[in-house]
Amino acid sequence: MAAFRTASLVSFIYSALLLGRAFADETIFVDNALSSTWQDWSWGSTISYTATDVKEGTTSISVTSDAWSALSFYDTSIFGGNFAGLKFDLAGSNPDISISLTDTATDTSSPSVPLSAFGLTPSTSSFTTYLLDFNSLPPNGGTIGNGQWNRITFQAGANGATYHLDNIQLVTEIVVTPQFLSAEPLGNNLIAVTSKGTVDLKTVKVTLNGKAVTVSNTTTYTPSDTPSTSISYLLLNSSLAPGTLAIAAGNSTFNFTLPSAQATTIDQSSTRAISPRVYGVNFPADASYIKTLGIKSARWGGNAVTAYNPFLDVTNAGNDWYFENRNNDDGNADAWVGWVEAAGADTFLTIPALDWVAKDNTSYSYPKTKYPNQAAYDPYNADAGNGKLADGSWVGPPDPSTVYTAWNTNLAKQWLSGLKNKPTFVHIDNEIEIASSTHQDMHPQPIGFDEELARVVNYSNIAKAALPNALVAAPSTCAWWFYWTSTIGYTDNAAHNNTDFLPWFLAQMASHDKTAGKRFLDYLDIHYYFQADTSANDAAAKALRLRMTRSWWDPTYVDESYIGTDTPQNHQPNATIVQLIPRMQALIAKNYPGTKLSVSEWASTADSDITGGLVTADTLGIFGKYGLDSATYWGDASATGPVGLAYWLYNGAGNAFGSLSAKATVTGFNPNILGVYAGTDGHSKPTLVIVNKDTKPVSLNLTGVPTGKYFIRHFGGAAGVAKYQTTQSLKSTSYLAVPAYTAVFLQYLS
């Protein structure tokens, strides 16, 4: 039976009507086949263009994609600039897919839009119509940018995806219907009204506890990089208060129950310096990204750097992508350090410390012709395998010289000595404790305590010789398990007096440096990824994600993962409680005092979800509060997405969080739903970041901060993911409201 449509062009970001067109829309697929100018460039997917189980008309496309694989269409002509949006019908059980456009000539991609951001619930038995507005991308209203777009990709996430598509079409015009999207309480006496199109703000009526509240002033702000929605700040003639708040706007009414305020004291006399290097990322997109978001440090790192050949600018990502050599994605390391430093960020340059680096940009370690029956092959190169059999075992180590060229400390010193641009930091390789898996083709033997220490010592010696002013960070250990145990296993611990790895490593470096008479380890560097499973991204997973930030600091938080439930494999106190920053600081104080602490890889677990942005904002506040020395985010976080906005919240150009962390005390504080971080410049001019992780508003009664004019930034809540900001006067700090799922920055001006 032919399926019927259950939803029309609807989403929480926009509704649209397709009206008169200057020229024809273009059909990509309808009934049986792609249009003549389009080609199938998909990978890792089982695709049928003649599916009849769910269809409109004659057939539909059925798609089953493996993890990170995709349905992808290439246009032999360029469609970029000619169309206003992409329309398609989809059926499936909330498939984990994201849609993006590509300019294949320049290998430029648009922002990736997750299907979940449209705010629709698709059915498995009928089609739902989606409209991707190229000038108002969900969830934040951004644009696709400038490009000669000629490819459209529906890419699956980590769990793969199964779904049907039909009636895929590029449309020439989208006319936006004016609409009030949200209206929320903000601060002491503001209502923040988000809208699209030209709305009549005079229709907005505010009622608090049954009494009308008048508006004295209205200021409208339109973010430059998300121009499809605007926010208007309505200044009330009286302060917000606990009770019932109703906001009527056009044909919509927004209702809230405002809670009693939690007493919050800010003590600007109790301070701790915040290291600017905690506001760091791996591989920032460009100089504009650094300046716009206020990025203070940037790392050249990741699995591919282990095989990076700096003399040829080629590399091999190992197990991450079929053990294939390739041109380095980020070009030349020396040039990278130069432009990043020029943009205003300190640099962290990772140097290889194994015995091989890529010899060219074409070789690969596991050709099918030599190793048949491998479990998987590169969808773009059918001869390049993943080195594993179906049971997960390796096919056997190849001869490294077929793919790599020898690497040693002399070559590393030659490279570092010749750098025109000097990095602030040198990291000694990346997660080499698991090289027998990630780089099995060049180092199949498990790496133990002694080998890892020797490699760090050898390469830190040459790094200090070549770059005397650079700070050395190591061992860049990948995860909780390997903080304590090597890939050899418990016998390695036993052979070292039953000592856990990181305490042993610190003590050994302290002994080495004492003998040498100078420091060769400046920073203990680790990676930390939250271990609990939030992949479902449902309400329970979102709440769990927001709780997990407690693992950075909380001595009472039992980790909601294997760490908190399995028998500990280490000898550390309270081993089910991560309490990462204080724990590592205590290990340093005991084993090598004066060493600083760096976390050069961490992530939110959901870069495109608002909760990922709140996790990031909460985490950046925690870093400053607990005295972390350096941190760089791992992931390709969009400058206009939730994670990018968390960085902008703290350090966007012109307005920055204080350089000193001040003490913030909240009565009845619940870290599962709230984060409050105070900063100061030491001259009684406080800054605050408040992160509401709850699904309803929170309110604070602030003491220790003045009334007066404040610069306010915020993102999240019903207002959506965008860079909203205003300057307003707070008449009182006794009642300060923050909407649900919202992060707010306040900076006292005068």
Side-chain angles (χ1 to χ4, degrees):
M1 177 182 289
F4 58 90
R5 184 173 288 107
T6 58
S8 59
L9 309 182
V10 180
S11 81
F12 74 97
I13 297 296
Y14 54 80
S15 63
L17 300 173
L18 302 181
L19 301 178
R21 298 165 177 113
F23 54 92
D25 298 342
E26 179 174 342
T27 296
I28 299 173
F29 171 87
V30 62
D31 291 339
N32 302 322
L34 290 175
S35 297
S36 60
T37 63
W38 289 83
Q39 299 174 1
D40 186 338
W41 280 26
S42 305
W43 73 91
S45 301
T46 301
I47 300 165
S48 171
Y49 288 93
T50 57
T52 57
D53 52 331
V54 184
K55 63 179 181 178
E56 287 180 328
T58 306
T59 66
S60 67
I61 306 174
S62 68
V63 186
T64 298
S65 294
D66 295 335
W68 310 117
S69 298
L71 173 71
S72 189
F73 303 127
Y74 171 75
D75 192 1
T76 53
S77 60
I78 294 169
F79 64 82
N82 296 328
F83 296 96
L86 174 71
K87 176 175 165 248
F88 58 91
D89 296 343
L90 180 141
S93 181
N94 285 313
D96 178 18
I97 57 174
S98 297
I99 303 101
S100 63
L101 310 183
T102 303
D103 176 346
T104 60
T106 61
D107 197 26
T108 300
S109 293
S110 73
S112 182
V113 179
L115 190 73
S116 59
F118 287 87
L120 300 172
T121 302
S123 167
T124 57
S125 59
S126 59
F127 283 102
T128 299
T129 299
Y130 289 78
L131 179 64
L132 181 66
D133 186 338
F134 292 162
N135 289 307
S136 181
L137 301 180
N140 61 354
T143 67
I144 60 169
N146 297 320
Q148 298 296 304
W149 311 113
N150 59 353
R151 187 175 184 181
I152 300 169
T153 298
F154 297 78
Q155 185 169 15
N159 297 316
T162 298
Y163 55 98
H164 287 70
L165 288 174
D166 207 344
N167 300 325
I168 308 171
Q169 188 179 48
L170 289 165
V171 297
T172 58
E173 188 174 1
I174 298 173
V175 178
V176 175
T177 301
Q179 184 181 356
F180 288 100
L181 300 176
S182 67
E184 298 179 291
L186 179 67
N188 172 254
N189 52 350
L190 289 179
I191 300 296
V193 178
T194 310
S195 60
K196 65 175 185 179
T198 303
V199 297
D200 185 1
L201 292 169
K202 293 180 180 179
T203 67
V204 178
K205 306 297 180 184
V206 181
T207 304
L208 180 62
N209 293 323
K211 296 182 179 179
V213 180
T214 58
V215 174
S216 64
N217 185 53
T218 300
T219 304
T220 298
Y221 177 77
T222 302
S224 60
D225 48 9
T226 52
S228 60
T229 60
S230 297
I231 194 161
S232 296
Y233 297 97
L234 279 58
L235 183 65
L236 304 178
N237 278 316
S238 59
S239 297
L240 297 168
T244 301
L245 176 69
I247 308 165
N251 295 322
S252 300
T253 300
F254 305 92
N255 297 302
F256 302 92
T257 299
L258 297 183
S260 298
Q262 294 177 260
T264 304
T265 302
I266 307 302
D267 182 358
Q268 293 187 67
S269 67
S270 178
T271 61
R272 174 184 214 160
I274 298 175
S275 169
R277 290 171 179 154
V278 299
Y279 305 112
V281 298
N282 284 265
F283 293 113
D286 51 33
S288 175
Y289 185 98
I290 291 172
K291 294 175 181 178
T292 300
L293 302 187
I295 302 301
K296 303 303 181 185
S297 60
R299 174 175 174 257
W300 170 285
N303 286 338
V305 301
T306 294
Y308 173 63
N309 184 333
F311 304 114
L312 299 175
D313 292 321
V314 295
T315 193
N316 185 308
N319 198 24
D320 287 349
W321 194 260
Y322 301 95
F323 299 91
E324 294 177 65
N325 287 356
R326 66 178 191 231
N327 292 327
N328 190 54
D329 292 342
D330 293 275
N332 178 267
D334 195 351
W336 181 89
V337 170
W339 73 256
V340 170
E341 293 273 357
D346 289 342
T347 50
F348 300 72
L349 179 64
T350 305
I351 62 173
L354 295 183
D355 299 329
W356 304 92
V357 293
K359 72 174 186 179
D360 56 33
N361 63 357
T362 57
S363 301
Y364 44 93
S365 292
Y366 296 102
K368 185 176 184 179
T369 50
K370 186 174 182 180
Y371 302 101
N373 303 317
Q374 293 179 68
Y377 297 90
D378 179 355
Y380 298 107
N381 181 355
D383 192 46
N386 70 347
K388 292 182 178 180
L389 300 174
D391 63 2
S393 62
W394 295 103
V395 299
D399 177 2
S401 66
T402 63
V403 176
Y404 300 107
T405 184
W407 178 256
N408 53 48
T409 54
N410 290 332
L411 291 169
K413 186 175 182 180
Q414 177 186 339
W415 168 44
L416 295 177
S417 298
L419 289 175
K420 296 179 181 178
N421 301 292
K422 311 301 182 185
T424 314
F425 282 80
V426 169
H427 285 239
I428 308 302
D429 217 301
N430 176 80
E431 300 181 356
I432 60 173
E433 74 280 351
I434 56 171
S436 57
S437 173
T438 53
H439 299 284
Q440 198 269 349
D441 56 341
M442 70 161 76
H443 198 297
Q445 302 82 17
I447 289 181
F449 285 24
D450 295 317
E451 181 182 353
E452 185 161 3
L453 174 68
R455 291 186 182 276
V456 170
V457 168
N458 290 340
Y459 280 87
S460 63
N461 283 341
I462 65 97
K464 288 287 189 177
L467 301 169
N469 295 323
L471 300 167
V472 169
S476 300
T477 308
C478 69
W480 178 263
W481 184 272
F482 292 103
Y483 298 165
W484 321 116
T485 308
S486 76
T487 49
I488 292 174
Y490 298 144
T491 57
D492 206 12
N493 296 72
H496 296 85
N497 299 315
N498 287 320
T499 306
D500 296 331
F501 174 65
L502 284 182
W504 177 86
F505 171 80
L506 283 166
Q508 292 297 311
M509 288 303 302
S511 177
H512 168 271
D513 292 1
K514 182 178 180 180
T515 301
K518 61 181 290 188
R519 265 192 180 270
F520 285 84
L521 180 72
D522 300 288
Y523 280 65
L524 173 67
D525 182 56
I526 58 174
H527 298 167
Y528 181 63
Y529 292 96
F530 302 112
Q531 293 299 298
D533 182 9
T534 61
S535 59
N537 207 38
D538 54 14
K542 291 174 190 287
L544 172 58
R545 179 178 299 125
L546 292 166
R547 290 195 300 272
M548 290 189 306
T549 58
R550 294 173 63 184
S551 66
W552 290 115
W553 63 274
D554 192 341
T556 68
Y557 179 67
V558 177
D559 205 72
E560 298 173 75
S561 71
Y562 81 90
I563 296 172
T565 58
D566 292 359
T567 301
Q569 103 282 10
N570 58 64
H571 303 88
Q572 301 303 305
N574 301 317
T576 62
I577 295 172
V578 175
Q579 197 189 3
L580 190 82
I581 298 172
R583 180 184 293 278
M584 292 299 162
Q585 290 169 336
L587 286 180
I588 288 170
K590 181 178 180 180
N591 295 285
Y592 196 0
T595 307
K596 294 185 182 297
L597 177 62
S598 167
V599 182
S600 63
E601 288 187 21
W602 68 280
S604 74
T605 80
D607 286 5
S608 61
D609 191 87
I610 184 60
T611 56
L614 298 177
V615 163
T616 306
D618 199 30
T619 294
L620 293 176
I622 290 167
F623 287 170
K625 180 176 180 178
Y626 288 92
L628 186 64
D629 297 297
S630 173
T632 45
Y633 191 89
W634 182 263
D636 187 18
S638 165
T640 58
V643 172
L645 294 192
Y647 281 86
W648 165 82
L649 189 79
Y650 279 87
N651 280 315
N655 301 87
F657 195 73
S659 59
L660 300 174
S661 174
K663 185 177 181 180
T665 305
V666 183
T667 301
F669 175 63
N670 182 350
N672 291 339
I673 63 173
L674 185 64
V676 179
Y677 306 100
T680 180
D681 60 0
H683 301 287
S684 299
K685 288 198 171 182
T687 51
L688 291 173
V689 166
I690 304 168
V691 184
N692 181 7
K693 300 186 279 184
D694 205 352
T695 55
K696 54 184 181 293
V698 298
S699 58
L700 303 177
N701 178 359
L702 293 173
T703 58
V705 295
T707 57
K709 184 181 290 186
Y710 277 80
F711 175 77
I712 302 172
R713 281 191 182 123
H714 61 105
F715 71 89
V721 182
K723 297 176 180 176
Y724 294 125
Q725 62 187 43
T726 186
T727 299
Q728 298 286 351
S729 293
L730 294 184
K731 295 179 180 178
S732 170
T733 59
S734 63
Y735 196 88
L736 199 73
V738 178
Y741 270 14
T742 297
V744 177
F745 168 97
L746 298 102
Q747 181 182 44
Y748 177 70
L749 300 177
S750 61

